[in-house]
Amino acid sequence: VTQIGSMMTVFFSPEAPTDYASAKRADGERYARFFRAMLDAGVYLAPSQFEAMFVSLAHTPGDIERTIEAAKEAFAAASG
C-alpha cells in the first residue's frame, strides 16, 4: 500500500513503487482479484491500481473496520 495523507493505493509488488515504471511492474491480475473480492464484500474501490482510494470524514469507524476486515479476506483471495 502506498499512501500520502488520506490517499492510498494497493500495488502487488515485492517493493513499493516509486515511479510509473515500477508501478507498471506490479501484478495487475492480483489487483484485479483483490478488487473483485472487495466488491463481493460490498467495498467499492477504483477498478485500476493506478487510481487512488480516499478516506474521508464521511467514513465512520465502523465503515473503516468493515473495510479492514474485507481487505484481510481480499488479500488472502488475491494471493491464492
Side-chain angles (χ1 to χ4, degrees), residues 10-54:
V10 175
F11 288 97
F12 290 91
S13 177
E15 297 177 11
T18 57
D19 56 20
Y20 181 70
S22 59
K24 288 275 294 175
R25 289 191 296 270
D27 189 338
E29 288 300 316
R30 282 184 73 188
Y31 181 84
R33 289 193 302 270
F34 174 76
F35 168 78
R36 285 190 293 276
M38 291 293 280
L39 193 59
D40 289 345
V43 179
Y44 297 87
L45 303 177
S48 169
Q49 64 187 348
F50 294 98
E51 298 177 66
M53 296 179 246
F54 300 86

Side-chain angles (χ1 to χ4, degrees), residues 34 37-38 41 65-79:
F34 174 76
M38 291 293 280
E65 194 58 41
R66 283 188 297 280
T67 302
I68 290 169
E69 291 304 313
K72 287 177 185 177
E73 293 180 20
F75 280 125
S79 296

Side-chain angles (χ1 to χ4, degrees), residues 1-3 8-11 16 75:
V1 175
T2 58
Q3 177 252 339
M8 69 196 99
T9 191
V10 175
F11 288 97
F75 280 125

